[in-house]
């Protein structure tokens, strides 16, 4: 495997993330997650105050996460879109509009669970307010730089998504996230590249391995013993060796790769760990996520299947 460096473009002076979306979609959770990553976070800020807040920024300034609420008295679609455009063109800044989307029926369920009134329909049903707000924000959603659907995400999963996408805001370089998933439940959101592992031999059909996961050495040995495994991983790494530096040159802060199999428990997990370990050895900042294991409540440590453990089986 060819070693390569992780070149980075010149870091912008300050990163600004404008966070918006319908009430109940998770804006507060996203703002808190960004604050945990080192952003200066301000929620419900009036649009008119934002230019003055950013006007005096200097090189290396702390990144800002600004929550924009449609309920604010000076909010307007035109004002928000104009502000995003002005900030995006301003020298020394990089501005991203993060839109948290959510299906109306999920928003309605969340309101019913909390027994809250919808802010845009205090004297009507939550469904009326939800429909009104979604229609109001339609143009903002279309303009968003990052569109994140939170309909099927738990609070912890939303925090993980934010961390994966924004963990490099302080200039640490492009972050990679490698995901395992089950095709039965569909593709995870936001993947840049997807590989199908279902052609590899399946540990599910071995009674001794069925109850284990791809984090276990025995499952990894079973999967990697497939005669097609080595060529598959070799071609993936060669492809990523071309794609990832190009993404860095384009200024991407985050790149995500998905590995899918039938149940999301064995083959995709083993491939995710193996490729993540290889990328980390080449100097990339890598995190892993195993969607189906998380949903089953399986406890695991990222990078659990280490290079040392794999070599111990040889």
């Amino acid at each position: 495997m060819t070693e390569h460096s992780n070149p980075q473009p010149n870091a912008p002076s300050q990163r600004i993330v404008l966070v918006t979306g319908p009430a109940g979609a998770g804006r507060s959770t996203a703002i808190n997650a960004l604050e945990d990553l080192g952003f200066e976070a301000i929620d419900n800020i009036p649009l008119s105050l934002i230019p003055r807040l950013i006007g005096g920024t200097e090189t290396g300034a702390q990144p800002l996460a600004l929550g924009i609420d449609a309920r604010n008295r000076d909010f307007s679609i035109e004002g928000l879109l104009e502000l995003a455009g002005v900030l995006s063109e301003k020298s020394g800044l990089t501005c991203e509009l993060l839109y948290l989307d959510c299906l109306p029926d999920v928003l309605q369920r969340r309101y019913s669970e909390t027994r809250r009134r919808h802010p845009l329909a205090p004297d009507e049903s939550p469904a009326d307010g939800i429909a009104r707000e979604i229609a109001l924000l339609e143009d903002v959603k279309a303009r968003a730089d990052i569109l994140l659907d939170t309909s099927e995400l738990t609070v912890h999963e939303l925090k993980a998504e934010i961390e994966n996408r924004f963990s490099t805001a302080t200039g640490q370089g492009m972050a990679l996230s490698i995901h395992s998933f089950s095709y039965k439940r569909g593709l995870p959101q936001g993947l840049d590249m997807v590989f199908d592992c279902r052609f590899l031999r399946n540990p599910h059909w071995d009674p001794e391995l069925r109850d284990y996961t791809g984090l276990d050495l025995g499952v990894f040995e079973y999967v990697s013993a497939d005669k097609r495994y080595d060529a598959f991983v070799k071609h993936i790494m060669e492809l990523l060796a071309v794609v990832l530096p190009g993404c860095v040159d384009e200024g991407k802060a985050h790149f995500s790769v998905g590995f899918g199999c039938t149940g999301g428990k064995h083959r995709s997990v083993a491939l995710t760990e193996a490729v993540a370990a290889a990328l980390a050895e080449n100097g990339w900042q890598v995190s892993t996520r195993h969607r189906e294991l998380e949903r089953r409540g399986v406890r695991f440590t990222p990078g659990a299947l280490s290079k040392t453990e794999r070599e111990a089986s040889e």
Side-chain angles (χ1 to χ4, degrees):
M1 189 178 299
T2 302
E3 292 283 334
H4 61 78
S5 61
N6 188 356
Q8 304 298 331
N10 292 330
S13 59
Q14 189 176 36
R15 188 175 186 182
I16 313 295
V17 180
L18 305 177
V19 186
T20 192
R27 189 185 71 246
S28 295
T29 298
I31 288 287
N32 291 336
L34 288 167
E35 187 172 26
D36 290 342
L37 291 173
F39 282 76
E40 181 180 356
I42 306 174
D43 201 4
N44 296 328
I45 183 171
L47 294 178
S48 58
L49 294 182
I50 294 177
R52 282 181 278 174
L53 179 67
I54 298 173
T57 59
E58 299 177 355
T59 300
Q62 184 178 9
L64 282 174
L66 305 176
I68 311 296
D69 192 339
R71 295 169 290 178
N72 199 289
R73 63 184 179 182
D74 77 342
F75 177 85
S76 72
I77 300 300
E78 296 78 11
L80 175 55
L81 295 180
E82 180 180 359
L83 174 67
V86 169
L87 294 179
S88 296
E89 296 175 359
K90 190 171 182 178
S91 176
L93 292 179
T94 177
C95 178
E96 296 162 288
L97 180 57
L98 168 62
Y99 187 92
L100 300 172
D101 196 19
C102 190
L103 294 173
D105 61 324
V106 176
L107 290 174
Q108 189 167 349
R109 186 183 71 240
R110 291 174 182 175
Y111 271 95
S112 65
E113 290 173 349
T114 60
R115 297 185 179 181
R116 294 171 54 204
R117 295 182 179 183
H118 194 281
L120 295 187
D123 300 320
E124 303 171 72
S125 70
D128 294 327
I130 290 168
R132 192 171 298 154
E133 187 170 28
I134 288 175
L136 174 68
L137 295 173
E138 184 176 351
D139 289 344
V140 178
K141 177 180 176 180
R143 164 65 176 77
D145 299 297
I146 301 173
L147 181 63
L148 185 56
D149 190 335
T150 69
S151 302
E152 296 186 5
L153 299 182
T154 66
V155 170
H156 299 296
E157 289 170 337
L158 175 54
K159 288 181 178 179
E161 289 288 345
I162 296 297
E163 181 176 353
N164 283 335
R165 291 173 181 271
F166 295 99
S167 60
T168 59
T170 54
Q172 297 176 357
M174 188 177 78
L176 304 179
S177 60
I178 317 295
H179 300 238
S180 68
F181 66 92
S182 164
Y183 274 101
K184 291 180 179 179
R185 300 195 65 256
L187 272 66
Q189 298 179 45
L191 294 180
D192 296 294
M193 186 178 290
V194 177
F195 296 98
D196 190 339
C197 305
R198 289 175 291 185
F199 69 93
L200 295 171
R201 60 193 305 214
N202 190 353
H204 175 80
W205 303 117
D206 186 326
E208 295 183 359
L209 296 176
R210 182 173 299 171
D211 293 334
Y212 292 90
T213 76
L215 297 173
D216 294 294
L217 188 58
V219 172
F220 173 80
E221 291 174 337
Y222 185 94
V223 174
S224 62
D226 189 306
K227 63 182 180 181
R228 298 159 293 193
Y229 173 88
D230 288 339
F232 184 46
V233 173
K234 178 176 180 291
H235 289 311
I236 288 171
M237 295 305 298
E238 289 174 346
L239 177 60
L240 291 175
V242 175
V243 172
L244 296 182
C247 292
V248 170
D249 291 342
E250 288 298 312
K252 282 182 69 75
H254 176 262
F255 191 88
S256 57
V257 180
F259 289 94
C261 64
T262 305
K265 179 181 177 181
H266 297 118
R267 293 167 290 182
S268 61
V269 173
L271 263 295
T272 292
E273 289 293 320
V275 171
L279 289 168
E281 289 164 13
N282 279 350
W284 293 94
Q285 177 186 335
V286 188
S287 64
T288 59
R289 182 180 176 197
H290 303 296
R291 187 180 70 179
E292 315 314 334
L293 299 190
E294 291 173 4
R295 290 185 176 274
R296 291 184 174 96
V298 176
R299 295 180 178 272
F300 61 88
T301 302
L305 188 61
S306 68
K307 180 174 183 286
T308 301
E309 288 175 310
R310 294 198 306 274
E311 290 178 343
S313 67
E314 296 177 354

